[in-house]
Short mmCIF file of all heavy atoms in Angstrom, two decimals:
data_model
loop_
_atom_site.label_atom_id
_atom_site.label_comp_id
_atom_site.label_asym_id
_atom_site.label_seq_id
_atom_site.Cartn_x
_atom_site.Cartn_y
_atom_site.Cartn_z
N MET A 1 29.52 35.78 1.25
CA MET A 1 29.27 35.78 -0.18
C MET A 1 28.38 36.98 -0.49
O MET A 1 27.37 37.19 0.17
CB MET A 1 28.59 34.48 -0.59
CG MET A 1 28.26 34.42 -2.05
SD MET A 1 27.45 32.89 -2.58
CE MET A 1 28.76 31.71 -2.37
N ASN A 2 28.77 37.72 -1.50
CA ASN A 2 27.94 38.87 -1.89
C ASN A 2 27.03 38.48 -3.06
O ASN A 2 27.06 37.35 -3.55
CB ASN A 2 28.82 40.09 -2.22
CG ASN A 2 29.74 39.84 -3.39
OD1 ASN A 2 29.41 39.14 -4.34
ND2 ASN A 2 30.93 40.42 -3.34
N VAL A 3 26.21 39.43 -3.50
CA VAL A 3 25.24 39.15 -4.56
C VAL A 3 25.92 38.76 -5.86
O VAL A 3 25.48 37.82 -6.55
CB VAL A 3 24.32 40.38 -4.77
CG1 VAL A 3 23.39 40.17 -5.95
CG2 VAL A 3 23.51 40.64 -3.51
N SER A 4 27.01 39.41 -6.22
CA SER A 4 27.72 39.08 -7.45
C SER A 4 28.26 37.66 -7.42
O SER A 4 28.16 36.92 -8.41
CB SER A 4 28.88 40.06 -7.68
OG SER A 4 28.40 41.35 -7.87
N GLU A 5 28.83 37.28 -6.29
CA GLU A 5 29.35 35.92 -6.15
C GLU A 5 28.22 34.89 -6.23
O GLU A 5 28.37 33.84 -6.86
CB GLU A 5 30.13 35.77 -4.85
CG GLU A 5 31.41 36.57 -4.83
CD GLU A 5 32.01 36.67 -3.44
OE1 GLU A 5 31.27 36.53 -2.45
OE2 GLU A 5 33.22 36.91 -3.36
N ALA A 6 27.10 35.20 -5.58
CA ALA A 6 25.96 34.28 -5.61
C ALA A 6 25.45 34.09 -7.04
O ALA A 6 25.13 32.97 -7.44
CB ALA A 6 24.85 34.79 -4.70
N ARG A 7 25.39 35.17 -7.79
CA ARG A 7 24.96 35.06 -9.19
C ARG A 7 25.94 34.23 -10.01
O ARG A 7 25.53 33.43 -10.86
CB ARG A 7 24.80 36.45 -9.81
CG ARG A 7 23.57 37.16 -9.34
CD ARG A 7 23.37 38.47 -10.08
NE ARG A 7 22.26 39.18 -9.49
CZ ARG A 7 22.27 40.46 -9.22
NH1 ARG A 7 23.32 41.20 -9.49
NH2 ARG A 7 21.21 41.04 -8.68
N ASP A 8 27.23 34.43 -9.77
CA ASP A 8 28.23 33.64 -10.51
C ASP A 8 28.13 32.16 -10.15
O ASP A 8 28.21 31.30 -11.03
CB ASP A 8 29.63 34.17 -10.24
CG ASP A 8 29.92 35.46 -10.99
OD1 ASP A 8 29.22 35.74 -11.99
OD2 ASP A 8 30.85 36.18 -10.58
N VAL A 9 27.93 31.86 -8.88
CA VAL A 9 27.76 30.46 -8.47
C VAL A 9 26.52 29.88 -9.14
O VAL A 9 26.55 28.76 -9.66
CB VAL A 9 27.66 30.34 -6.93
CG1 VAL A 9 27.20 28.97 -6.51
CG2 VAL A 9 29.00 30.68 -6.28
N GLN A 10 25.44 30.65 -9.16
CA GLN A 10 24.21 30.18 -9.78
C GLN A 10 24.42 29.92 -11.27
O GLN A 10 23.93 28.92 -11.81
CB GLN A 10 23.10 31.21 -9.57
CG GLN A 10 21.75 30.74 -10.05
CD GLN A 10 21.16 31.63 -11.12
OE1 GLN A 10 21.73 32.65 -11.49
NE2 GLN A 10 20.03 31.22 -11.64
N ARG A 11 25.15 30.77 -11.95
CA ARG A 11 25.41 30.57 -13.39
C ARG A 11 26.22 29.31 -13.64
O ARG A 11 25.92 28.54 -14.55
CB ARG A 11 26.13 31.78 -13.95
CG ARG A 11 25.24 32.98 -14.10
CD ARG A 11 25.99 34.18 -14.64
NE ARG A 11 25.11 35.33 -14.72
CZ ARG A 11 25.32 36.48 -14.10
NH1 ARG A 11 26.41 36.66 -13.37
NH2 ARG A 11 24.46 37.46 -14.20
N VAL A 12 27.25 29.10 -12.83
CA VAL A 12 28.08 27.90 -13.02
C VAL A 12 27.26 26.64 -12.72
O VAL A 12 27.31 25.66 -13.47
CB VAL A 12 29.36 27.97 -12.14
CG1 VAL A 12 30.13 26.65 -12.19
CG2 VAL A 12 30.26 29.12 -12.60
N LEU A 13 26.49 26.66 -11.64
CA LEU A 13 25.65 25.50 -11.33
C LEU A 13 24.60 25.25 -12.40
O LEU A 13 24.34 24.10 -12.76
CB LEU A 13 25.00 25.66 -9.96
CG LEU A 13 25.93 25.56 -8.76
CD1 LEU A 13 25.17 25.87 -7.48
CD2 LEU A 13 26.58 24.19 -8.69
N ALA A 14 24.00 26.31 -12.92
CA ALA A 14 23.01 26.15 -13.99
C ALA A 14 23.67 25.53 -15.22
O ALA A 14 23.07 24.67 -15.88
CB ALA A 14 22.37 27.49 -14.32
N TRP A 15 24.89 25.95 -15.53
CA TRP A 15 25.62 25.37 -16.67
C TRP A 15 25.85 23.88 -16.44
O TRP A 15 25.63 23.06 -17.32
CB TRP A 15 26.93 26.12 -16.87
CG TRP A 15 27.76 25.58 -17.98
CD1 TRP A 15 27.63 25.85 -19.31
CD2 TRP A 15 28.85 24.67 -17.87
NE1 TRP A 15 28.58 25.16 -20.03
CE2 TRP A 15 29.35 24.43 -19.16
CE3 TRP A 15 29.46 24.03 -16.80
CZ2 TRP A 15 30.41 23.58 -19.40
CZ3 TRP A 15 30.53 23.19 -17.03
CH2 TRP A 15 30.99 22.97 -18.33
N ILE A 16 26.28 23.54 -15.23
CA ILE A 16 26.53 22.12 -14.90
C ILE A 16 25.26 21.30 -15.03
O ILE A 16 25.29 20.18 -15.54
CB ILE A 16 27.12 22.00 -13.47
CG1 ILE A 16 28.55 22.55 -13.45
CG2 ILE A 16 27.08 20.55 -12.98
CD1 ILE A 16 29.13 22.70 -12.06
N LEU A 17 24.15 21.87 -14.59
CA LEU A 17 22.88 21.14 -14.59
C LEU A 17 22.13 21.24 -15.92
O LEU A 17 21.00 20.75 -16.03
CB LEU A 17 22.00 21.64 -13.45
CG LEU A 17 22.58 21.40 -12.06
CD1 LEU A 17 21.74 22.08 -11.00
CD2 LEU A 17 22.74 19.92 -11.77
N GLY A 18 22.73 21.86 -16.91
CA GLY A 18 22.13 21.91 -18.23
C GLY A 18 21.11 23.01 -18.41
O GLY A 18 20.23 22.92 -19.26
N GLY A 19 21.23 24.06 -17.63
CA GLY A 19 20.32 25.19 -17.74
C GLY A 19 20.62 26.05 -18.94
O GLY A 19 21.45 25.73 -19.79
N GLU A 20 19.95 27.16 -19.02
CA GLU A 20 20.07 28.09 -20.14
C GLU A 20 21.27 29.01 -19.97
O GLU A 20 21.14 30.23 -19.98
CB GLU A 20 18.78 28.92 -20.26
CG GLU A 20 17.55 28.10 -20.55
CD GLU A 20 17.57 27.51 -21.95
OE1 GLU A 20 17.99 28.20 -22.88
OE2 GLU A 20 17.16 26.35 -22.09
N VAL A 21 22.44 28.44 -19.81
CA VAL A 21 23.68 29.21 -19.62
C VAL A 21 24.68 28.74 -20.67
O VAL A 21 24.94 27.54 -20.80
CB VAL A 21 24.25 29.00 -18.20
CG1 VAL A 21 25.55 29.74 -18.03
CG2 VAL A 21 23.25 29.43 -17.15
N THR A 22 25.22 29.69 -21.42
CA THR A 22 26.19 29.34 -22.46
C THR A 22 27.55 29.02 -21.84
O THR A 22 27.83 29.38 -20.69
CB THR A 22 26.36 30.49 -23.46
OG1 THR A 22 26.93 31.61 -22.78
CG2 THR A 22 25.03 30.87 -24.09
N ASP A 23 28.38 28.36 -22.61
CA ASP A 23 29.74 28.06 -22.16
C ASP A 23 30.50 29.34 -21.81
O ASP A 23 31.22 29.39 -20.82
CB ASP A 23 30.52 27.29 -23.23
CG ASP A 23 30.00 25.88 -23.43
OD1 ASP A 23 29.23 25.39 -22.58
OD2 ASP A 23 30.38 25.26 -24.44
N GLU A 24 30.33 30.36 -22.63
CA GLU A 24 31.05 31.62 -22.43
C GLU A 24 30.64 32.29 -21.11
O GLU A 24 31.48 32.76 -20.35
CB GLU A 24 30.78 32.58 -23.60
CG GLU A 24 31.48 33.91 -23.47
CD GLU A 24 32.99 33.83 -23.65
OE1 GLU A 24 33.48 32.87 -24.26
OE2 GLU A 24 33.67 34.73 -23.15
N VAL A 25 29.34 32.31 -20.84
CA VAL A 25 28.84 32.91 -19.59
C VAL A 25 29.36 32.13 -18.39
O VAL A 25 29.81 32.70 -17.39
CB VAL A 25 27.30 32.98 -19.59
CG1 VAL A 25 26.75 33.34 -18.22
CG2 VAL A 25 26.82 33.97 -20.64
N ALA A 26 29.31 30.80 -18.48
CA ALA A 26 29.80 29.96 -17.37
C ALA A 26 31.29 30.15 -17.16
O ALA A 26 31.76 30.22 -16.02
CB ALA A 26 29.48 28.49 -17.66
N MET A 27 32.05 30.24 -18.25
CA MET A 27 33.50 30.45 -18.13
C MET A 27 33.80 31.78 -17.46
O MET A 27 34.67 31.86 -16.59
CB MET A 27 34.17 30.40 -19.50
CG MET A 27 35.67 30.64 -19.43
SD MET A 27 36.47 30.71 -21.04
CE MET A 27 35.81 32.21 -21.73
N CYS A 28 33.10 32.83 -17.86
CA CYS A 28 33.32 34.15 -17.25
C CYS A 28 32.97 34.13 -15.77
O CYS A 28 33.71 34.68 -14.94
CB CYS A 28 32.50 35.21 -17.97
SG CYS A 28 33.08 35.53 -19.64
N ALA A 29 31.86 33.49 -15.42
CA ALA A 29 31.45 33.41 -14.02
C ALA A 29 32.47 32.61 -13.21
O ALA A 29 32.86 33.02 -12.10
CB ALA A 29 30.06 32.78 -13.90
N ALA A 30 32.92 31.50 -13.74
CA ALA A 30 33.92 30.69 -13.05
C ALA A 30 35.23 31.46 -12.90
O ALA A 30 35.90 31.37 -11.86
CB ALA A 30 34.15 29.38 -13.80
N GLY A 31 35.58 32.21 -13.92
CA GLY A 31 36.80 33.03 -13.85
C GLY A 31 36.71 34.08 -12.76
O GLY A 31 37.67 34.30 -12.01
N ARG A 32 35.56 34.75 -12.66
CA ARG A 32 35.40 35.76 -11.60
C ARG A 32 35.45 35.12 -10.22
O ARG A 32 36.05 35.66 -9.29
CB ARG A 32 34.07 36.50 -11.80
CG ARG A 32 34.11 37.49 -12.94
CD ARG A 32 32.87 38.36 -12.98
NE ARG A 32 31.64 37.60 -13.18
CZ ARG A 32 31.11 37.32 -14.37
NH1 ARG A 32 31.71 37.75 -15.47
NH2 ARG A 32 29.99 36.64 -14.46
N LEU A 33 34.83 33.95 -10.07
CA LEU A 33 34.90 33.26 -8.78
C LEU A 33 36.32 32.85 -8.43
O LEU A 33 36.76 32.97 -7.29
CB LEU A 33 33.98 32.03 -8.79
CG LEU A 33 32.49 32.33 -8.79
CD1 LEU A 33 31.70 31.05 -9.07
CD2 LEU A 33 32.05 32.96 -7.48
N ALA A 34 37.06 32.37 -9.43
CA ALA A 34 38.45 31.99 -9.20
C ALA A 34 39.28 33.20 -8.80
O ALA A 34 40.12 33.12 -7.89
CB ALA A 34 39.03 31.33 -10.46
N ALA A 35 39.04 34.33 -9.46
CA ALA A 35 39.78 35.55 -9.14
C ALA A 35 39.51 36.00 -7.71
O ALA A 35 40.43 36.36 -6.97
CB ALA A 35 39.42 36.66 -10.12
N ARG A 36 38.25 35.95 -7.31
CA ARG A 36 37.91 36.35 -5.94
C ARG A 36 38.55 35.43 -4.92
O ARG A 36 39.08 35.87 -3.90
CB ARG A 36 36.39 36.36 -5.76
CG ARG A 36 35.74 37.49 -6.48
CD ARG A 36 34.24 37.52 -6.19
NE ARG A 36 33.59 38.42 -7.12
CZ ARG A 36 32.74 38.03 -8.07
NH1 ARG A 36 32.44 36.77 -8.22
NH2 ARG A 36 32.20 38.92 -8.87
N ALA A 37 38.47 34.13 -5.17
CA ALA A 37 39.08 33.17 -4.25
C ALA A 37 40.59 33.36 -4.18
O ALA A 37 41.19 33.32 -3.10
CB ALA A 37 38.74 31.74 -4.67
N HIS A 38 41.20 33.57 -5.34
CA HIS A 38 42.65 33.76 -5.38
C HIS A 38 43.06 35.02 -4.61
O HIS A 38 44.02 35.01 -3.85
CB HIS A 38 43.12 33.85 -6.83
CG HIS A 38 44.60 33.94 -6.98
ND1 HIS A 38 45.42 32.85 -6.83
CD2 HIS A 38 45.41 34.99 -7.26
CE1 HIS A 38 46.68 33.22 -7.00
NE2 HIS A 38 46.69 34.51 -7.27
N ASP A 39 42.29 36.10 -4.80
CA ASP A 39 42.59 37.35 -4.10
C ASP A 39 42.40 37.23 -2.59
O ASP A 39 43.19 37.74 -1.81
CB ASP A 39 41.72 38.49 -4.62
CG ASP A 39 42.07 38.89 -6.04
OD1 ASP A 39 43.16 38.50 -6.52
OD2 ASP A 39 41.27 39.58 -6.68
N ARG A 40 41.35 36.55 -2.18
CA ARG A 40 41.03 36.46 -0.76
C ARG A 40 41.85 35.41 -0.02
O ARG A 40 42.21 35.61 1.13
CB ARG A 40 39.55 36.16 -0.58
CG ARG A 40 38.70 37.34 -0.95
CD ARG A 40 37.25 37.06 -0.74
NE ARG A 40 36.47 38.20 -1.23
CZ ARG A 40 35.20 38.14 -1.51
NH1 ARG A 40 34.55 37.01 -1.36
NH2 ARG A 40 34.58 39.21 -1.95
N LEU A 41 42.10 34.29 -0.68
CA LEU A 41 42.78 33.19 -0.01
C LEU A 41 44.25 33.07 -0.39
O LEU A 41 45.01 32.39 0.30
CB LEU A 41 42.08 31.87 -0.33
CG LEU A 41 40.59 31.79 0.03
CD1 LEU A 41 39.99 30.50 -0.50
CD2 LEU A 41 40.40 31.92 1.53
N GLY A 42 44.62 33.68 -1.50
CA GLY A 42 46.00 33.56 -1.96
C GLY A 42 46.33 32.18 -2.48
O GLY A 42 47.49 31.79 -2.54
N ALA A 43 45.30 31.43 -2.86
CA ALA A 43 45.52 30.07 -3.35
C ALA A 43 44.59 29.82 -4.53
O ALA A 43 43.64 30.56 -4.74
CB ALA A 43 45.24 29.07 -2.24
N GLY A 44 44.87 28.78 -5.25
CA GLY A 44 44.04 28.43 -6.40
C GLY A 44 44.45 29.21 -7.63
O GLY A 44 45.26 30.12 -7.58
N PRO A 45 43.84 28.85 -8.77
CA PRO A 45 44.21 29.51 -10.02
C PRO A 45 43.67 30.93 -10.09
O PRO A 45 42.61 31.24 -9.54
CB PRO A 45 43.54 28.64 -11.08
CG PRO A 45 42.37 28.03 -10.38
CD PRO A 45 42.81 27.83 -8.95
N ALA A 46 44.40 31.79 -10.75
CA ALA A 46 43.91 33.14 -11.02
C ALA A 46 42.91 33.06 -12.18
O ALA A 46 42.78 32.04 -12.85
CB ALA A 46 45.08 34.05 -11.38
N GLU A 47 42.22 34.15 -12.43
CA GLU A 47 41.19 34.16 -13.47
C GLU A 47 41.74 33.81 -14.84
O GLU A 47 41.16 33.00 -15.57
CB GLU A 47 40.52 35.54 -13.52
CG GLU A 47 39.39 35.62 -14.52
CD GLU A 47 38.66 36.94 -14.47
OE1 GLU A 47 39.08 37.86 -13.74
OE2 GLU A 47 37.64 37.06 -15.17
N ALA A 48 42.86 34.37 -15.20
CA ALA A 48 43.44 34.11 -16.52
C ALA A 48 43.81 32.63 -16.68
O ALA A 48 43.60 32.04 -17.74
CB ALA A 48 44.66 34.99 -16.75
N ALA A 49 44.35 32.03 -15.63
CA ALA A 49 44.72 30.62 -15.68
C ALA A 49 43.49 29.74 -15.83
O ALA A 49 43.49 28.77 -16.59
CB ALA A 49 45.50 30.24 -14.43
N LEU A 50 42.42 30.07 -15.12
CA LEU A 50 41.21 29.27 -15.22
C LEU A 50 40.61 29.38 -16.62
O LEU A 50 40.24 28.37 -17.22
CB LEU A 50 40.17 29.74 -14.19
CG LEU A 50 38.91 28.88 -14.21
CD1 LEU A 50 38.58 28.39 -12.84
CD2 LEU A 50 37.77 29.60 -14.86
N ARG A 51 40.57 30.59 -17.16
CA ARG A 51 40.03 30.76 -18.52
C ARG A 51 40.88 30.03 -19.55
O ARG A 51 40.35 29.43 -20.49
CB ARG A 51 39.94 32.23 -18.87
CG ARG A 51 38.81 32.95 -18.17
CD ARG A 51 38.85 34.42 -18.50
NE ARG A 51 37.78 35.13 -17.86
CZ ARG A 51 36.85 35.82 -18.51
NH1 ARG A 51 36.90 35.92 -19.81
NH2 ARG A 51 35.90 36.43 -17.85
N ALA A 52 42.18 30.05 -19.39
CA ALA A 52 43.06 29.35 -20.33
C ALA A 52 42.81 27.84 -20.28
O ALA A 52 42.72 27.19 -21.33
CB ALA A 52 44.52 29.66 -20.02
N GLU A 53 42.68 27.30 -19.09
CA GLU A 53 42.40 25.87 -18.95
C GLU A 53 41.02 25.53 -19.49
O GLU A 53 40.83 24.49 -20.12
CB GLU A 53 42.52 25.43 -17.49
CG GLU A 53 43.95 25.27 -17.03
CD GLU A 53 44.68 24.18 -17.81
OE1 GLU A 53 44.18 23.05 -17.91
OE2 GLU A 53 45.77 24.48 -18.33
N TRP A 54 40.05 26.39 -19.24
CA TRP A 54 38.68 26.15 -19.70
C TRP A 54 38.65 26.04 -21.23
O TRP A 54 38.05 25.13 -21.78
CB TRP A 54 37.78 27.30 -19.24
CG TRP A 54 36.31 27.09 -19.50
CD1 TRP A 54 35.70 27.04 -20.72
CD2 TRP A 54 35.29 26.92 -18.53
NE1 TRP A 54 34.35 26.87 -20.57
CE2 TRP A 54 34.07 26.79 -19.23
CE3 TRP A 54 35.28 26.89 -17.14
CZ2 TRP A 54 32.86 26.62 -18.58
CZ3 TRP A 54 34.07 26.73 -16.50
CH2 TRP A 54 32.89 26.59 -17.21
N THR A 55 39.30 26.98 -21.90
CA THR A 55 39.27 26.96 -23.36
C THR A 55 40.16 25.85 -23.93
O THR A 55 39.88 25.33 -25.00
CB THR A 55 39.70 28.31 -23.96
OG1 THR A 55 40.98 28.67 -23.46
CG2 THR A 55 38.70 29.39 -23.60
N ARG A 56 41.19 25.48 -23.22
CA ARG A 56 42.08 24.42 -23.70
C ARG A 56 41.44 23.04 -23.52
O ARG A 56 41.52 22.19 -24.40
CB ARG A 56 43.40 24.46 -22.94
CG ARG A 56 44.45 23.52 -23.47
CD ARG A 56 45.80 23.77 -22.82
NE ARG A 56 45.89 23.28 -21.48
CZ ARG A 56 46.18 22.03 -21.15
NH1 ARG A 56 46.40 21.14 -22.09
NH2 ARG A 56 46.26 21.66 -19.89
N ARG A 57 40.79 22.83 -22.40
CA ARG A 57 40.25 21.51 -22.09
C ARG A 57 38.75 21.35 -22.33
O ARG A 57 38.26 20.24 -22.34
CB ARG A 57 40.53 21.16 -20.63
CG ARG A 57 41.99 21.02 -20.35
CD ARG A 57 42.19 20.59 -18.95
NE ARG A 57 43.61 20.56 -18.63
CZ ARG A 57 44.14 19.74 -17.78
NH1 ARG A 57 43.39 18.91 -17.12
NH2 ARG A 57 45.43 19.77 -17.55
N ARG A 58 38.02 22.45 -22.44
CA ARG A 58 36.57 22.41 -22.60
C ARG A 58 35.93 21.46 -21.59
O ARG A 58 35.74 20.28 -21.87
CB ARG A 58 36.18 21.99 -24.01
CG ARG A 58 36.70 22.88 -25.10
CD ARG A 58 36.15 24.24 -25.11
NE ARG A 58 34.71 24.25 -25.27
CZ ARG A 58 33.97 25.30 -25.05
NH1 ARG A 58 34.52 26.39 -24.64
NH2 ARG A 58 32.69 25.25 -25.21
N PRO A 59 35.60 21.95 -20.42
CA PRO A 59 35.00 21.08 -19.39
C PRO A 59 33.77 20.36 -19.92
O PRO A 59 33.03 20.89 -20.74
CB PRO A 59 34.60 22.06 -18.30
CG PRO A 59 35.39 23.28 -18.53
CD PRO A 59 35.68 23.33 -19.99
N MET A 60 33.58 19.16 -19.44
CA MET A 60 32.44 18.36 -19.86
C MET A 60 31.72 17.87 -18.62
O MET A 60 32.34 17.42 -17.67
CB MET A 60 32.91 17.15 -20.68
CG MET A 60 31.78 16.24 -21.08
SD MET A 60 32.25 14.87 -22.16
CE MET A 60 33.80 14.33 -21.53
N VAL A 61 30.42 17.99 -18.64
CA VAL A 61 29.60 17.51 -17.53
C VAL A 61 28.80 16.33 -18.04
O VAL A 61 28.09 16.43 -19.04
CB VAL A 61 28.66 18.63 -17.01
CG1 VAL A 61 27.76 18.09 -15.91
CG2 VAL A 61 29.47 19.82 -16.53
N VAL A 62 28.90 15.20 -17.36
CA VAL A 62 28.16 14.00 -17.73
C VAL A 62 26.92 13.94 -16.86
O VAL A 62 27.00 13.90 -15.64
CB VAL A 62 29.02 12.73 -17.54
CG1 VAL A 62 28.22 11.49 -17.87
CG2 VAL A 62 30.28 12.82 -18.38
N ARG A 63 25.76 13.96 -17.50
CA ARG A 63 24.50 13.95 -16.75
C ARG A 63 23.86 12.57 -16.71
O ARG A 63 23.08 12.28 -15.84
CB ARG A 63 23.53 14.95 -17.37
CG ARG A 63 24.00 16.36 -17.20
CD ARG A 63 22.98 17.33 -17.77
NE ARG A 63 23.58 18.64 -17.88
CZ ARG A 63 24.13 19.14 -18.96
NH1 ARG A 63 24.16 18.43 -20.05
NH2 ARG A 63 24.66 20.33 -18.96
N ASP A 64 24.11 11.76 -17.70
CA ASP A 64 23.53 10.42 -17.77
C ASP A 64 24.64 9.39 -17.77
O ASP A 64 25.64 9.54 -18.47
CB ASP A 64 22.70 10.24 -19.05
CG ASP A 64 21.52 11.18 -19.09
OD1 ASP A 64 20.93 11.42 -18.02
OD2 ASP A 64 21.19 11.66 -20.18
N TRP A 65 24.49 8.34 -17.01
CA TRP A 65 25.46 7.27 -16.97
C TRP A 65 24.70 5.99 -16.70
O TRP A 65 23.58 6.00 -16.19
CB TRP A 65 26.55 7.52 -15.92
CG TRP A 65 25.99 7.71 -14.54
CD1 TRP A 65 25.77 6.76 -13.60
CD2 TRP A 65 25.56 8.94 -13.95
NE1 TRP A 65 25.23 7.32 -12.48
CE2 TRP A 65 25.09 8.65 -12.66
CE3 TRP A 65 25.52 10.26 -14.39
CZ2 TRP A 65 24.58 9.62 -11.80
CZ3 TRP A 65 25.02 11.22 -13.54
CH2 TRP A 65 24.57 10.90 -12.26
N PRO A 66 25.28 4.85 -17.07
CA PRO A 66 24.59 3.57 -16.86
C PRO A 66 24.20 3.40 -15.40
O PRO A 66 24.97 3.67 -14.49
CB PRO A 66 25.63 2.53 -17.27
CG PRO A 66 26.54 3.26 -18.20
CD PRO A 66 26.57 4.69 -17.71
N GLY A 67 22.95 3.02 -15.19
CA GLY A 67 22.48 2.79 -13.83
C GLY A 67 21.84 4.00 -13.17
O GLY A 67 21.30 3.91 -12.08
N SER A 68 21.90 5.15 -13.84
CA SER A 68 21.27 6.35 -13.25
C SER A 68 19.77 6.31 -13.50
O SER A 68 19.29 5.64 -14.40
CB SER A 68 21.87 7.63 -13.82
OG SER A 68 21.41 7.84 -15.13
N ASP A 69 19.02 7.02 -12.71
CA ASP A 69 17.58 7.06 -12.88
C ASP A 69 17.16 7.75 -14.16
O ASP A 69 16.07 7.52 -14.67
CB ASP A 69 16.92 7.77 -11.68
CG ASP A 69 17.11 6.99 -10.40
OD1 ASP A 69 17.34 5.77 -10.47
OD2 ASP A 69 16.99 7.57 -9.32
N ASP A 70 18.00 8.66 -14.66
CA ASP A 70 17.64 9.42 -15.85
C ASP A 70 17.97 8.70 -17.16
O ASP A 70 17.53 9.12 -18.21
CB ASP A 70 18.39 10.76 -15.87
CG ASP A 70 17.99 11.62 -14.67
OD1 ASP A 70 16.85 11.47 -14.20
OD2 ASP A 70 18.81 12.43 -14.24
N ALA A 71 18.77 7.65 -17.10
CA ALA A 71 19.22 6.98 -18.32
C ALA A 71 18.12 6.16 -18.94
O ALA A 71 17.18 5.77 -18.36
CB ALA A 71 20.43 6.11 -18.03
#
């Protein structure tokens, strides 16, 4: 993993955990990670496909649920 990939992973994780990352930044970071994985492994969605699904479905992260310590 290079520095760019590490930053993209950090941005996506920060978005998931409710950090100061916008949806647009997280989508771009996830798209770049998908593109790298697709290029290197030849599997998984390409960047354009991931971005299309992201905007179509709007990923949702649930942080609180019944029985959790944070609820």
